[in-house]
């Protein structure tokens, strides 16, 4: 899709007048007035055709299979021959197929799934279920974690996202990440659930260790509380395993899926839960409804996504690309040690750690200017998230490495023209 520069200016004006004047002002200020036009595989091109970016943001995993994946599009088109959204109250062939497929790919008795249209909605439902099932109200999350901007999901998050909306909901408590003692002190007989991302992305691709994850599992179990694992970003092969939590040898009570389940084409999320928890919905089958959740057409797409992502050859490919990054990044860190501190990685869930917040934030702009979309982590801005599509090939890995090299080389220049205060209003959430 292409338009002239004049038409692009008109689109920006319409967006400013009818969608968000603040976003237009922010992107104008930083010279990042990119409008997605053509898109394919790992690339997105500005609507004028003038600039192409390799996508290492991928909306946090929405584009795991690349942009406009042909197999996913084919599934969508085929699905339109038969399906529409369906009726969310009735028994559905598609929701039965999709839930059964997910159950078959999950360990243990994670046999049930209820579908939604956003990750926040799926997290909200996980919390409703935890409270409804246990009859308790306390929900513990980690500081700097992120589970969405909707009701209960927002209540689990940091104050900066909640502050304009008044006091937080009662019962929500945060503890520091990887602090077993703090978790132990917080989890008690009033606790309905502890919720955590497998790899907290907004906290800067913060990778937990097995001891911590196992401790959370044990502590919750000991107190009769549930463990909710948010796999919205880490699911579908991102970490080199189909589900990120598989790295830590734990069985959660509830798993939240989102983003990648859409194939980048049709919104679909799921709250997956263990068999005993279904007791709550058996008694209250209409306690939670979502008109578009579990669209029958969308299920066709999601089934294709699961088929592709669970293929052992696909996961093997993710691990090969991850190994290539693991070998190519350390020399870059050595070369740019004034700016770069370290590298965080679990499969293709990666983060570049800079020596300070300023460089982490400026890198987003420098990367954009050299043709790469990589956004800093809002809750630890020293880190730039590196989430390429999982379908990238060796040549793309080399291209990304070259762009990182170039962008970091320019940080001195960017430091001179932008102050940290410029970025305090935050480029992107
Ligand atoms: C880990 C995690 N959980 C939940 C969400 C919320 O998903 P959504 O934006 O689809 O509501 C996000 C979104 O970025 C996320 O990264």
């Amino acid at each position: 899709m292409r338009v002239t520069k004049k038409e692009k200016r008109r689109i920006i004006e319409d967006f400013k007048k009818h969608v968000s004047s603040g976003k237009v002002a922010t992107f104008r200020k930083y010279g990042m007035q990119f409008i997605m036009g053509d898109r394919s595989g790992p690339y997105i091109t500005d609507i004028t055709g003038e600039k192409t970016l390799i996508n290492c943001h991928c909306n946090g995993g929405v584009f795991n299979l690349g942009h406009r994946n042909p197999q996913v599009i084919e599934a969508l088109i085929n699905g339109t021959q038969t399906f529409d959204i369906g009726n969310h109250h009735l028994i559905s062939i598609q929701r039965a197929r999709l839930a059964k497929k997910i159950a078959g790919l999950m360990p243990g008795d994670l046999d049930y799934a209820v579908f939604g249209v956003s990750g926040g909605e799926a997290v909200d439902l996980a919390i409703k279920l935890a409270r409804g099932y246990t009859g308790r109200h306390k929900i513990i999350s980690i500081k700097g974690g992120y589970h969405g901007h909707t009701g209960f999901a927002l209540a689990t998050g940091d104050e900066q996202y909640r502050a304009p909306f008044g006091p937080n909901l009662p019962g929500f408590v945060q503890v520091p990440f990887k602090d077993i003692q703090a978790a132990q002190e917080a989890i008690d007989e009033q606790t309905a659930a502890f919720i955590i991302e497998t790899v907290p992305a907004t906290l800067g691709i913060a990778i937990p260790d097995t001891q911590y994850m196992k401790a959370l599992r044990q502590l919750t179990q000991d107190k009769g509380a549930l463990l909710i694992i948010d796999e919205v970003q880490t699911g579908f092969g991102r970490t080199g395993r189909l589900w990120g939590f598989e790295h830590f040898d734990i069985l959660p009570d509830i798993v939240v899926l989102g983003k990648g389940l859409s194939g980048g084409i049709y919104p679909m999320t799921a709250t997956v839960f263990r068999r005993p928890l279904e007791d709550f919905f058996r008694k209250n089958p209409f306690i939670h409804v979502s008109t578009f959740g579990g669209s029958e057409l969308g299920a066709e797409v999601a089934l294709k996504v699961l088929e592709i992502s669970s293929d052992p050859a696909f996961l093997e490919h993710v691990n090969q690309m991850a190994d290539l990054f693991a070998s190519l990044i350390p020399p870059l860190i050595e070369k740019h040690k004034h700016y770069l501190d370290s590298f965080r990685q679990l499969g293709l869930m990666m983060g570049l750690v800079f020596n300070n917040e300023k460089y982490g934030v400026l890198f987003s702009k420098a990367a954009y200017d050299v043709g790469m979309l990589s956004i800093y982590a809002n809750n630890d801005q020293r880190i730039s998230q590196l989430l390429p599509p999982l379908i990238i090939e060796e040549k793309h890995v080399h291209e990304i490495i070259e762009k990182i090299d170039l962008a970091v080389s320019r940080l001195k220049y960017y430091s001179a023209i932008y102050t940290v205060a410029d970025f305090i209003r935050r480029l992107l959430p």
Side-chain angles (χ1 to χ4, degrees), residues 204-215:
I205 316 292
I207 300 174
D209 50 54
T210 304
Q211 192 200 2
Y212 178 63
M213 295 302 257
K214 276 182 170 287

Side-chain angles (χ1 to χ4, degrees), residues 221-406:
Q221 195 169 307
D222 290 350
K223 297 284 182 195
L226 303 181
L227 179 64
I228 305 172
I229 294 286
D230 181 337
E231 285 267 329
V232 167
Q233 293 215 21
T234 44
F236 315 105
R238 168 61 58 190
T239 67
R241 308 283 284 265
L242 182 58
W243 314 119
F245 68 80
E246 290 177 291
H247 289 277
F248 305 105
D249 192 23
I250 51 163
L251 182 67
D253 298 299
I254 305 179
V255 179
V256 182
L257 304 178
K259 297 195 189 271
L261 189 57
S262 69
I265 292 286
Y266 202 110
M268 179 67 74
T269 63
T271 307
V272 182
F273 48 95
R274 296 181 64 189
R275 201 179 312 132
L277 276 61
E278 210 266 331
D279 191 49
F280 174 71
F281 288 120
R282 195 165 41 76
K283 292 178 194 142
N284 307 276
F286 297 97
I287 194 80
H288 177 88
V289 289
S290 172
T291 305
F292 299 131
S295 152
E296 298 202 343
L297 180 54
E300 203 65 10
V301 168
L303 282 161
K304 180 55 74 179
V305 167
L306 290 167
E307 181 193 317
I308 299 171
S309 322
S310 61
D311 184 339
F314 176 85
L315 295 170
E316 177 57 29
H317 174 78
V318 173
N319 286 307
Q320 279 169 5
M321 295 305 105
D323 287 348
L324 193 52
F325 274 108
S327 68
L328 295 173
I329 296 267
L332 268 190
I333 295 175
E334 185 54 33
K335 179 176 171 189
H336 297 290
K337 48 179 182 246
H338 179 68
Y339 299 102
L340 278 170
D341 175 75
S342 50
F343 180 50
R344 295 178 179 173
Q345 182 184 36
L346 194 61
L348 288 178
M349 183 108 199
M350 302 179 289
L352 279 175
V353 187
F354 287 85
N355 284 329
N356 63 47
E357 291 190 351
K358 176 177 161 181
Y359 296 141
V361 173
L362 289 178
F363 178 77
S364 298
K365 165 67 175 158
Y368 171 84
D369 286 351
V370 301
M372 181 169 88
L373 193 61
S374 167
I375 307 292
Y376 61 88
N378 209 28
N379 292 348
D380 188 346
Q381 300 180 1
R382 292 173 305 137
I383 290 102
S384 194
Q385 301 170 334
L386 211 52
L387 305 170
L390 308 182
I391 45 94
I392 50 164
E393 292 164 12
E394 275 190 30
K395 63 178 182 197
H396 301 120
V397 176
H398 289 289
E399 185 184 335
I400 291 165
I401 294 291
E402 276 166 31
K403 289 192 188 307
I404 295 172
D405 191 13
L406 195 56

